[in-house]
């Protein structure tokens, strides 16, 4: 088994030559820190992590998958090999890597921990999610919003892996529509009590849970929500019930729990009424985390496929010498390197935002977050699908790991906001800014980052063609919107209605796909300026971005294909059924 850090050339190049450590080190270590010294220590940490993850965690991955979640005597727990992984990570200090030093962690920037997350996801997606959601996510939320007592109580024990938590937002009737949640928090005699039900809660069988609940009685939507911490056990009484863990085919080692709250005692986490703000910050961070999970899984599938295609001989040559397989391998390699380039950029922006920065950096992170999640998920699925195909019949056999990678990849477009929700987010922001500043579509827009990008040669021309096709498509949609809704829509005159927005909403995922590919090409192009060996990767990504942009432009201009007519039928049907009741 290899060292997942030292024996991954693209990861090493990224660390050694592409991350702007001179900008990141001062953020976490202070202005006077020695950049070279600090980076060399972090490199050492990643080498140790790469060795442990590439040997121990990777070795146990199949067992973690096969054993799944343990259900004994009505109790839900993680399997012994997954426990072993968590113990090993804790002993090496890898669980608390991102926790602040004063609370038992190492205080490393996100840009460094992103490498560990990727390696963990490559080795075992269940271990990665257990590490992320049971330890890192609750710790980040408590550190950000908790009081001193909460920080002291939870953070050091989480860093040591002695206790685990979870974050509970989703409910049976409130998935993508978080504002529909009905779990309540009521105050009696100075204490808060939670009542309701949470669904699909990763690591929900742990020692405590952070719950999003409606604390303002009668409030609706995203108003009146607050965050609370509830301990599983209070004075030896079960404070909330872990009703069950779902049986599922993906990330099988990770317990996905249904939780029942009945008069559950809880402490507010942060200000009452600020729950939506707190959970949004958590979701934005974890969306980048899921993008990294996709990257790790795609990396695993890529390495497996490269290795197999070099060894498997059909029609007198290794299958990688057959053009269709060779093309698949090149596409997979470009996707993985491109996703990594986008993630490194987003991680650095996140570090800057975490240490307080200007609005334009926060805006760039906001622009990239749904794209990292969308591209990281959808392209991880696509990459695993290709790996499975390259393995032929052996791809579906459980003896090989690619079927596990395929199954694990399939969760990424679903949790932490589905691909459709990411697309709506990306396109809503884009559309708002286009309506406010329609001239950006004349100056090469649609965002400052894309407008500024400039590259030479054929690859540069492909990139420019991809971007101008996107601009042309957006111009068509915006003109259609203005024609329908009048000029009052432009320059922030008024917000468009749902009906006016329909063409944007129908095509949100197409626009997001193009945007993501253009940004991936841009990120690789920027890298190629600094490391010329990356020019072929940029050239392939730019060509792909152009082709994706052209395909999507054609599909968008081909009209709605009867979708809106069908929706109108369904709406009529629903209204008439309702009126008959
Ligand atoms: C394994 C697993 C682990 C999870 N872990 C956690 C956790 O730790 N904590 C937590 O709180 N939640 C967790 N979740 C919940 C997860 O975030 C939700 O499943 C997800 O947000 C989608 O919600 P839903 O399943 O209710 O689907 P729905 O919201 O019902 O969506 C169904 C389909 O409709 C689409 N859709 C919905 N609205 C729109 C729209 N406006 N436009 C276009 N399409 C739309 C969706 O994209 C999707 O394709 C987990 C889920 C799973 C499966």
């Amino acid at each position: 088994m290899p060292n997942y850090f030292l024996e991954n050339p693209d990861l090493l190049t990224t660390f050694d030559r592409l991350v702007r450590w001179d900008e990141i080190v001062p953020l976490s270590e202070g202005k006077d820190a020695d950049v070279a010294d600090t980076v060399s220590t972090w490199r050492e940490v990643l080498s140790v992590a790469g060795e442990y993850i590439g040997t121990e965690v990777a070795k146990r991955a199949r067992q973690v998958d096969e054993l799944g979640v343990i259900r004994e005597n009505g109790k839900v727990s993680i399997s012994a090999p997954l426990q072993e992984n968590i113990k090993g990570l804790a002993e090496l200090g890898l669980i608390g890597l991102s926790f602040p030093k004063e609370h038992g962690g190492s205080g490393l920037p996100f840009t460094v921990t992103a490498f560990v997350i990727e390696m963990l996801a490559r080795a075992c997606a269940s271990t990665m999610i257990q590490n992320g959601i049971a330890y890192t996510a609750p710790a980040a939320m408590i550190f950000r919003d908790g009081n001193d007592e909460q920080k002291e109580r939870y953070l050091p024990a989480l860093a040591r892996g002695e206790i685990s938590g979870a974050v509970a937002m989703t409910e049976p009737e409130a998935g993508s529509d978080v504002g529909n949640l009905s779990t309540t928090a009521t105050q009696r005699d100075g204490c808060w009590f939670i009542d309701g039900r949470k669904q699909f809660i990763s690591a929900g069988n742990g020692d405590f849970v952070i719950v999003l609940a409606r604390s303002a009685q009668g409030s609706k939507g995203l108003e009146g929500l607050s965050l609370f911490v509830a301990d599983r056990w209070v004075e030896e009484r079960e404070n909330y019930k872990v009703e069950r863990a779902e049986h599922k085919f993906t990330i099988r080692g990770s317990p996905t729990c249904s939780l029942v709250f009945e008069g559950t005692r809880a402490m507010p986490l942060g200000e009452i009424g600020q729950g939506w703000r707190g959970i949004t910050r958590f979701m934005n961070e974890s969306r980048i985390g899921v993008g990294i999970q996709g990257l790790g899984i795609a990396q695993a599938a890529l390495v497996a496929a490269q290795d197999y295609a070099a060894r498997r001989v059909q029609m007198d040559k290794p299958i990688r010498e057959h053009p269709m397989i060779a093309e698949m391998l090149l596409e997979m390699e470009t996707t993985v390197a491109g996703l990594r380039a986008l993630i490194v950029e987003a991680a650095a922006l996140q570090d800057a935002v975490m240490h307080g920065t200007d609005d334009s950096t926060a805006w760039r992170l906001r622009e990239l977050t749904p794209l990292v999640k969308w591209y990281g998920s959808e392209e991880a699925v696509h990459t695993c699908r290709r790996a499975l195909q390259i393995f032929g019949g052996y791809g579906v056999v459980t003896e090989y790991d690619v079927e596990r990678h395929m199954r694990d990849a399939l969760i990424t477009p679903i949790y932490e906001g589905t691909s459709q929700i990411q697309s709506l987010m990306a396109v809503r922001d884009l559309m708002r800014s286009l309506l406010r500043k329609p001239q950006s579509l004349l100056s090469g827009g649609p965002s400052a980052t894309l407008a500024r990008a400039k590259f030479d040669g054929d690859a540069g021309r492909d990139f420019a063609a991809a971007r101008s096709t996107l601009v042309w498509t957006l111009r068509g949609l915006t003109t259609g919107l203005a024609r329908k809704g009048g000029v009052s829509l432009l320059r922030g005159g008024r917000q468009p209605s749902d009906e006016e927005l329909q063409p944007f909403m129908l095509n949100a995922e197409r626009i997001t796909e193009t945007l993501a590919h253009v940004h991936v090409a841009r990120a690789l192009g920027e890298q190629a300026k600094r490391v010329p060996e990356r020019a072929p990767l940029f050239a392939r990504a730019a060509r792909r971005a152009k082709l994706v942009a052209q395909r999507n432009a054609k599909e968008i201009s081909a009209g709605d294909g009867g979708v809106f007519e069908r929706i109108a039928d369904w709406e009529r049907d629903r209204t008439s059924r309702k009126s008959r009741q």
Side-chain angles (χ1 to χ4, degrees):
M1 289 282 188
N3 180 316
Y4 275 5
F5 180 64
L6 296 178
E7 293 172 50
N8 180 343
D10 197 70
L11 205 61
L12 265 193
T13 303
T14 304
F15 186 93
D16 288 339
R17 298 173 67 191
L18 292 165
V19 177
R20 295 189 183 275
W21 295 119
D22 54 334
E23 291 173 9
I24 288 164
V25 171
L27 291 176
S28 72
E29 305 300 304
K31 278 203 299 289
D32 300 328
D34 183 319
V35 174
D37 232 36
T38 310
V39 174
S40 146
T41 310
W42 291 347
R43 198 179 194 279
E44 190 51 38
V45 170
L46 291 179
S47 309
V48 172
E51 183 67 27
Y52 178 72
I53 294 168
T55 52
E56 296 299 313
V57 178
K59 184 177 76 188
R60 288 189 277 268
R62 195 175 300 166
Q63 236 191 326
V64 169
D65 181 63
E66 277 169 12
L67 292 172
V69 172
I70 309 300
R71 302 164 181 87
E72 268 170 4
N73 308 323
K75 194 172 161 243
V76 173
S77 53
I78 58 170
S79 65
L82 182 47
Q83 281 178 34
E84 192 64 24
N85 287 344
I86 296 297
K87 187 165 161 266
L89 292 171
E91 280 168 6
L92 288 171
L94 296 174
I95 286 189
L97 222 50
S98 61
F99 296 26
K101 287 179 188 154
E102 67 272 26
H103 296 295
S106 308
L108 260 52
F110 182 60
T111 307
V112 180
T113 55
F115 284 80
V116 178
I117 303 172
E118 181 196 326
M119 292 190 282
L120 269 178
R122 174 180 168 188
C124 173
S126 293
T127 305
M128 177 265 164
I129 194 67
Q130 185 70 14
N131 175 61
I133 210 78
Y135 302 94
T136 315
M141 292 175 83
I142 291 170
F143 177 65
R144 198 160 37 230
D145 289 327
N147 55 35
D148 288 346
E149 194 196 323
Q150 288 167 335
K151 287 179 193 172
E152 215 166 286
R153 178 157 172 207
Y154 294 102
L155 297 183
L158 280 169
R160 290 191 298 269
E162 288 167 4
I163 59 167
S164 68
V167 183
M169 184 177 59
T170 306
E171 298 181 4
E173 302 304 325
S176 304
D177 187 6
V178 181
N180 200 34
L181 69 78
S182 59
T183 294
T184 57
T186 19
Q187 200 175 22
R188 291 193 294 275
D189 306 325
C191 296
W192 285 92
F193 297 90
I194 310 274
D195 289 277
R197 180 177 277 273
K198 293 288 177 181
Q199 172 102 339
F200 296 143
I201 307 308
S202 300
N205 59 315
D207 301 286
F208 71 92
V209 62
I210 295 175
V211 191
L212 184 68
R214 197 165 288 292
S215 54
Q217 307 304 318
S219 62
K220 289 254 177 298
L222 305 173
E223 301 290 319
L225 303 179
S226 304
L227 287 170
F228 295 87
V229 190
D231 286 328
R232 175 92 176 273
W233 299 95
V234 173
E235 292 157 8
E236 295 185 21
R237 184 184 66 85
E238 206 175 24
N239 194 27
Y240 58 89
K241 203 166 158 13
V242 180
E243 194 182 53
R244 66 168 192 280
E246 306 294 344
H247 293 264
K248 58 194 196 308
F249 70 78
T250 180
I251 48 168
R252 294 195 68 248
S254 161
T256 310
C257 303
S258 288
L259 307 181
V260 180
F261 300 86
E262 282 170 348
T264 298
R265 289 180 81 113
M267 299 165 281
L269 179 66
E271 247 180 88
I272 290 294
Q274 294 297 312
W276 178 243
R277 198 164 151 260
I279 209 77
T280 305
R281 289 188 72 170
F282 154 74
M283 281 195 289
N284 283 334
E285 286 167 6
S286 55
R287 281 169 181 163
I288 294 180
V290 175
I292 303 175
Q293 185 178 38
L295 171 60
I297 298 171
Q299 170 71 33
L302 168 67
V303 171
Q306 281 171 330
D307 182 51
Y308 187 78
R311 285 185 291 111
R312 176 73 172 168
V313 174
Q314 290 291 283
M315 294 155 208
D316 295 331
K317 44 178 149 170
I319 57 170
R320 72 176 180 186
E321 291 173 32
H322 295 297
M324 283 184 278
I325 301 294
E327 189 185 39
M328 280 193 221
L329 289 167
L330 280 188
E331 288 282 319
M332 291 161 78
E333 186 187 285
T334 311
T335 298
V336 168
L339 174 57
R340 191 172 285 123
L342 201 63
I343 282 170
V344 166
E345 198 177 306
L349 290 171
Q350 184 150 309
D351 277 324
V353 167
M354 269 180 336
H355 287 86
T357 184
D358 53 62
D359 284 353
S360 78
T361 309
W363 183 254
R364 278 173 63 206
L365 178 62
R366 187 179 166 126
E367 181 185 0
L368 288 193
T369 299
L371 304 182
V372 166
K373 167 73 168 71
W374 187 91
Y375 191 89
S377 313
E378 294 294 334
E379 290 296 323
V381 171
H382 200 189
T383 302
C384 289
R385 168 77 183 82
R386 282 175 160 147
L388 209 71
Q389 195 66 18
I390 288 172
F391 269 73
Y394 297 98
V396 300
V397 173
T398 55
E399 208 177 308
Y400 295 86
D401 288 332
V402 281
E403 62 87 28
R404 170 167 59 85
H405 302 322
M406 181 79 252
R407 286 188 284 109
D408 285 344
L410 283 166
I411 189 57
T412 59
I414 293 175
Y415 61 9
E416 297 307 343
T418 64
S419 289
Q420 289 69 46
I421 298 302
Q422 300 313 300
S423 303
L424 291 179
M425 284 172 54
V427 167
R428 268 201 192 112
D429 266 1
L430 187 68
M431 201 201 53
R432 269 197 210 114
S433 94
L434 291 181
L435 289 177
R436 226 179 15 247
K437 269 186 14 199
Q439 67 275 24
S440 64
L441 287 177
L442 299 173
S443 58
S447 73
T449 322
L450 284 182
R452 265 197 309 266
K454 193 166 171 4
F455 307 102
D456 295 333
D458 286 347
R461 275 186 285 284
D462 278 346
F463 172 80
R467 181 179 52 192
S468 59
T469 306
L470 172 65
V471 168
W472 177 82
T473 307
L474 291 170
R475 214 181 283 165
L477 284 166
T478 314
T479 313
L481 189 60
R483 204 179 298 129
K484 238 183 179 178
V487 281
S488 63
L489 273 175
L490 299 178
R491 299 208 169 79
R494 69 172 173 87
Q495 289 297 315
S497 66
D498 282 355
E499 205 199 323
E500 286 165 337
L501 283 181
Q502 276 181 340
F504 268 94
M505 298 302 112
L506 171 65
N507 293 302
E509 198 159 3
R510 292 189 182 97
I511 299 169
T512 302
E513 183 187 21
T514 301
L515 258 178
H517 277 270
V518 174
H519 268 288
V520 162
R522 177 194 55 73
L524 282 172
E526 305 288 356
Q527 291 193 342
K529 283 182 184 167
R530 298 173 61 206
V531 177
E533 300 94 284
R534 293 179 87 72
L537 281 170
F538 167 51
R540 288 203 299 269
R543 180 173 172 272
R544 166 68 34 209
K546 182 179 74 175
L547 296 173
V548 168
Q550 287 168 347
R551 168 176 42 82
N552 281 327
K554 263 197 197 134
E555 286 184 13
I556 292 171
S557 63
D560 68 66
V563 168
F564 293 121
E565 220 172 286
R566 180 56 65 92
I567 291 176
D569 285 347
W570 284 333
E571 274 174 353
R572 263 193 305 276
D573 202 37
R574 177 162 53 92
T575 333
S576 76
R577 254 187 293 136
K578 217 169 167 186
S579 64
R580 282 201 303 271
Q581 278 167 6

